Every structure is written in structure tokens, then in C-alpha cells.
Amino acid sequence: MIETLHMMLIEPIVWFMEFILSQAYLWVDSYGLAIVMLSISISTLLIPLQQWAQRWQLEDQILQQRMAPKKAEFKAVYQGQERFMMMKALYRQHNYHPIMSLKSSAGLLLQIPFFIAAYVFFTSLPLSGQAFGYIQDLSQPDALWQINQWSIHILPFIMAGINLLSAVIFANSMSSSEKYQLYGMSLLFLVVLYNAPSALVLYWICNNLYALVKLLWQQPKPGLDSTLWQSTKRQIEYVAGVLCVYTLLIVLGLTYLPEGFNQEFIRTALPFFVWLPAMYGLYQLYQLLTRSSLTIQRQREPIQWHELTYVWIILIPIAQYLIYNQEDFTGSQIIATIFLTTLALCVWLIGLPYLLSHLIPKKILQGALLMFTLSIAYM
């Protein structure tokens, strides 16, 4: 039975983790960064399952709240077999079975196969001698603090501390069982992973950080000004959207850029940031798929006069090039180049975002196009 569960559940997860880690390592040539990317990827892909578990937990909490007054009454009035029969009737009335209490632990149960898979994967991964920052060997405990002959592993305490910080920040919004689960998991992970390879602990630190950021994103800390928080979220989404479109343009641009230093520079730099907009793109795709109704902005955003400044920004390096190489151009060629370039930039930076503004917010598309054009122009 255990071997069957291992083959059906654990081995596919291990294979998937191995695939993502190998692909990430090809990009960044660092096992430490590849582990960070693996953690972010797995956490992002688990969002639908986590929301399903949260929905189960919420259903169980609502049902328990409905039955709580009667349960308290039965415990105060009835004893023994009589109380058992009354509780059984109450459960039947609400279509409830005691085994359904497992719903409240769905989030914890969901993490168990991934914890086992990660443990199996990282304890068998040949990382001997691979360093990452202050970690000298990813295949061994970090031993970041030495006291005489004793080595204190700091990473497991950081991992547990992030979990406890989540519980402290969101204590008001959690039920007692959820808080005890989180406290228990923090202690359990600290004990189990204290002497584990630092690669595994680094993976779970990234998981915990991701979960904390997701909680902050979905539900800001109590007492935080909601208007300020919503404004901050919009700014972050703007930057993430610009970076996502910019990366897409860069990837497409690699196909058409001539071979040489410019293309090689972009190709080398791309792996260091492409995974961030990729994760944001997956998040937006999930939001789109789970939305009850697809709403598209119908009206195009009007063109503003200040958008001409985007054109002048790109014209600066072009004018510099023409000035430094004026002996190769006639006066009429310089004027014609500036005129045609200005016209093309107006279409590219103003006209195209206007035409697509009913699908993509214009400022996001303009920001990405401006970054992309500057990347090419200054090369």
C-alpha cells in the first residue's frame, strides 16, 4: 500500500521537481538560484489546490459555527448514550459526519506529499561542493554559526521564524485550530529539518516566504490603511505587468535581432529575470481562468499630450548617433531620418497602446514598449 502511494504520488512530484530544477540550472548556472526558482514555481502551481483546501476549511468553519450552540446545549444537558444520540441527530440534520472535520486540515494534508517528495529529492540530489552565498555546501547543513566545536544551523530557525511570523501577523483572522496547526508545523519542520541538507531548508524557506507574501497580498495586515494598501497593490501590479510584457518583447526580439553583441547581451541577461514575469503571467492566467465572467474593458483610453515625451526620450540616443556620425549623412538625410523615426515612434509608443487599450491597460503597454525600445536604442 505504501509503495503504491509512493509510486502514484511521490515519484511523479519528484520527477517534476527534478525537471524544473534542471531547466532552471541551465538558465542561471547556480544551484542556489535554481532551488529558489523551483520553490517559486511549485508554490505558484499549487495555488489552485491551496484555494480548494481553503474553501473546504471555510465550509467546515461555517458548519461548525452553525452547530456550536446546539452542541454546547447538548453537552450541558445530556450525558452518555443520550448525548451521543442527540449529537448524531444534529449531525444528520446538517448532513455532517465527524470524518468531515478533516476538511479543516486540508491545507496541512496537501503539504504532506510535497514535503515527502522534497525530502526524498533533496537528500538524494548530488550537490556536494555546490556553494550558494554564505552556504559552503548545499548538500550539508548550513553551520552558519560556530561556537567552539559546536555548529549551529541558522537556516532551520529562519524557516520556522517565517512561519511563526505569519501566525503572529494574521492571528486575528485565523481560527484556533489553524494557529495551532501552524505552530505545530513550525516546530515539526524545525526538528525534522534541523540536520537536513541546506538545499532542502533553503527550498522550504522560499516556500514559507512565498506563502507569507501571498497572505499579505490577499489580506493586508490588520490596521494597515486599506486605501494605501490598494494603491500599493496597483503599483506593484503595474510594475509586474510592464516587466511581463517587456520580457515577451525581448524574447520575440531575439528572433529578429542580428547576431552580435546586442543579441548575446540580451540572451545572457534574460535568464536572471525572465522567471519573475513568467510567475506573474501564470498568476494572471489563473485569475482569468477562475473568474466567473470574463470582463474586457470596452472603451479605449484617450491619447494624452504628455505621451509625446516618450517619443522624445527615444529620440535622444538617435540624435546622439546622428550627431556623432554627421559626416556620413547629408542635412536632408538627417532631417528625413528624424522625421520618419518620430512618426514610427508615435505609432509604436502612442498609436499601438491606444488601439490595444481595451484589452491591456495603456500605461502597462506603453511602459513595456518604452523599456524595450530604450534597450535597443541605447545598444
Side-chain angles (χ1 to χ4, degrees):
M1 179 65 178
I2 295 177
E3 290 184 2
T4 304
L5 286 174
H6 186 274
M7 291 181 61
M8 293 180 61
L9 240 134
I10 307 303
E11 287 188 4
I13 298 174
V14 170
W15 176 87
F16 187 64
M17 294 177 73
E18 183 178 2
F19 173 76
I20 295 180
L21 185 69
S22 61
Q23 294 302 310
Y25 180 74
L26 290 176
W27 280 3
V28 296
D29 194 28
S30 166
Y31 274 109
L33 288 176
I35 290 168
V36 173
M37 294 169 65
L38 169 66
S39 175
I40 294 174
S41 302
I42 295 294
S43 297
T44 303
L45 294 173
L46 279 177
I47 287 178
L49 290 177
Q50 288 171 344
Q51 292 199 343
W52 165 76
Q54 288 172 0
R55 193 159 51 244
W56 265 30
Q57 289 174 336
L58 182 60
E59 289 175 358
D60 183 68
Q61 288 175 8
I62 293 173
L63 194 55
Q64 292 292 346
Q65 289 172 0
R66 288 177 182 170
M67 295 189 298
K70 284 292 183 181
K71 289 172 72 173
E73 179 185 336
F74 294 160
K75 288 180 181 179
V77 176
Y78 302 104
Q79 297 290 332
Q81 185 68 19
E82 193 175 11
R83 178 196 290 178
F84 173 78
M85 296 303 296
M86 295 300 292
M87 294 290 285
K88 188 175 181 181
L90 178 65
Y91 290 158
R92 191 183 305 114
Q93 180 183 350
H94 289 86
N95 297 317
Y96 180 80
H97 191 278
I99 199 172
M100 292 171 65
S101 61
L102 289 174
K103 283 185 175 183
S104 62
S105 303
L108 175 62
L109 294 174
L110 174 64
Q111 293 192 48
I112 290 176
F114 287 91
F115 172 76
I116 297 173
Y119 192 88
V120 171
F121 176 63
F122 283 106
T123 51
S124 61
L125 194 65
L127 292 175
S128 181
Q130 296 290 335
F132 180 60
Y134 292 105
I135 304 171
Q136 299 301 317
D137 191 340
L138 287 168
S139 66
Q140 299 295 326
D142 60 271
L144 293 179
W145 191 11
Q146 296 283 341
I147 301 179
N148 296 328
Q149 301 298 322
W150 298 90
S151 296
I152 306 298
H153 311 319
I154 304 300
L155 292 181
F157 288 101
I158 295 175
M159 175 192 64
I162 295 171
N163 263 346
L164 293 174
L165 179 63
S166 301
V168 170
I169 292 177
F170 297 97
N172 294 334
S173 61
M174 290 182 177
S175 65
S176 298
S177 61
E178 288 176 328
K179 283 188 284 187
Y180 291 142
Q181 280 182 16
L182 195 52
Y183 296 149
M185 282 179 58
S186 301
L187 182 60
L188 176 65
F189 274 48
L190 175 62
V191 173
V192 172
L193 299 183
Y194 184 74
N195 290 309
S198 52
L200 176 59
V201 185
L202 175 64
Y203 171 82
W204 279 108
I205 285 176
C206 295
N207 273 19
N208 295 346
L209 274 176
Y210 188 100
L212 177 59
V213 171
K214 184 163 72 73
L215 281 171
L216 286 168
W217 186 264
Q218 294 174 344
Q219 179 183 356
K221 182 180 180 296
L224 185 65
D225 181 69
S226 60
T227 304
L228 176 62
W229 175 248
Q230 292 301 324
S231 175
T232 304
K233 283 182 67 173
R234 285 194 296 269
Q235 297 300 323
I236 294 174
E237 288 182 345
Y238 165 70
V239 173
V242 168
L243 188 59
C244 193
V245 178
Y246 169 74
T247 305
L248 179 61
L249 291 171
I250 285 291
V251 171
L252 294 175
L254 287 175
T255 308
Y256 300 101
L257 280 175
E259 293 288 341
F261 175 76
N262 292 353
Q263 189 188 66
E264 185 61 28
F265 174 79
I266 294 175
R267 195 185 304 276
T268 304
L270 189 64
F272 291 96
F273 66 87
V274 68
W275 56 279
L276 284 170
M279 293 302 101
Y280 175 76
L282 287 174
Y283 167 74
Q284 288 297 331
L285 178 62
Y286 172 73
Q287 293 287 92
L288 183 66
L289 294 176
T290 55
R291 200 173 296 165
S292 56
S293 61
L294 181 61
T295 57
I296 297 179
Q297 183 181 341
R298 296 299 179 183
Q299 283 192 326
R300 291 188 172 94
E301 300 176 43
I303 295 175
Q304 306 289 334
W305 282 106
H306 72 266
E307 294 169 11
L308 287 172
T309 57
Y310 304 149
V311 177
W312 310 140
I313 291 172
I314 306 300
L315 281 176
I316 291 173
I318 295 173
Q320 288 175 339
Y321 175 80
L322 292 173
I323 291 171
Y324 289 138
N325 299 276
Q326 56 183 321
E327 66 276 1
D328 298 328
F329 301 96
T330 64
S332 58
Q333 286 177 329
I334 292 175
I335 294 174
T337 300
I338 292 177
F339 174 77
L340 293 175
T341 303
T342 303
L343 185 62
L345 288 172
C346 286
V347 173
W348 177 247
L349 295 174
I350 300 175
L352 182 62
Y354 166 74
L355 291 174
L356 297 177
S357 61
H358 65 298
L359 300 173
I360 304 174
K362 190 173 64 172
K363 63 180 182 180
I364 288 181
L365 192 54
Q366 281 180 327
L369 290 174
L370 183 62
M371 287 176 59
F372 174 75
T373 312
L374 278 171
S375 300
I376 303 302
Y378 274 102
M379 289 183 180

